């Protein structure tokens, strides 16, 4: 009886360890009742049919960095200290550059402005005006309805957003964001 309990406990412990390895991405293994480990067959991969997927255009890291540097150059030319963020179509940050001397609040503000611009495919200065008709827009998490965000489009649709924060006005922030968009239009 003791042997049966011990064998059962060993199988449970071994099984638990195998599950943990599988969840950790270490691969699939199986254990027999006798304690021998053998490699399991790889899991089958099923491809989704082409009608069930979409494709999209995404800004490269190199292009996002080029745009961010153009923003910092434009701000520096006017002796402004800003932070610039470039986000992808889904609002995920591709690159954020905090310019020398930019305030600590500018980092989060730039990212939120970029997210807001790409979410509505509109400059954030225009979106500020929409708040008059729909004031609850400002309650959407991650958004910031202040001038300084500009969308980047390709093929007629939004692919990224550029947000700038730190200049004394949203108009200046947005002017610098547009410099980043312009850098992407140039070859």
């Amino acid at each position: 009886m003791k042997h049966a309990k011990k064998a059962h406990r060993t199988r449970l412990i071994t099984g638990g360890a195998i599950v943990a390895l599988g969840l950790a991405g270490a691969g699939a293994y199986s254990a027999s009742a006798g304690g021998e480990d053998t490699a399991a067959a790889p899991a089958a991969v099923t491809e989704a049919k082409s009608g069930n997927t979409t494709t999209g255009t995404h800004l490269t890291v190199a292009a996002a960095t080029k745009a961010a540097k153009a923003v910092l150059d434009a701000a520096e030319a006017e002796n402004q200290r800003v932070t610039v963020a470039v986000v992808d179509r889904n609002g995920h940050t591709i690159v954020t550059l905090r310019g020398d001397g930019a305030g600590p609040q500018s980092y989060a503000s730039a990212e939120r402005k970029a997210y807001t611009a790409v979410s509505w495919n509109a400059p954030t200065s225009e979106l500020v005006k929409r708040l008059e008709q729909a004031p609850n827009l400002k309650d959407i998490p991650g958004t910031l309805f202040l001038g300084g965000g500009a969308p980047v489009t390709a093929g007629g649709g939004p692919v990224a957003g550029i947000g700038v924060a730190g200049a004394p006005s949203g108009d200046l922030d947005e002017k610098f964001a547009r410099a980043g968009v312009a850098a992407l239009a140039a070859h």
Side-chain angles (χ1 to χ4, degrees), residues 19 30 105 112 116 126 150 180:
V19 169
S30 67
Q105 79 290 353
R112 291 175 59 198
T116 304
E126 288 180 22

Side-chain angles (χ1 to χ4, degrees), residues 12 43 71 74 144 152 156:
L12 288 175
V71 166
L144 185 59
V152 177

Side-chain angles (χ1 to χ4, degrees), residues 2 36 39 49 54 59 63-64 100-101 114 117 125 127 144-145 147 150 184:
K2 269 187 168 176
E36 298 173 17
K49 295 192 185 273
T54 62
L59 206 59
D100 294 336
S125 61
L127 297 172
L144 185 59
F145 290 87
L184 295 173

Side-chain angles (χ1 to χ4, degrees), residues 9-25:
R9 194 172 345 153
T10 302
R11 281 193 302 266
L12 288 175
I13 292 170
T14 304
I18 292 167
V19 169
L21 283 171
L23 292 175

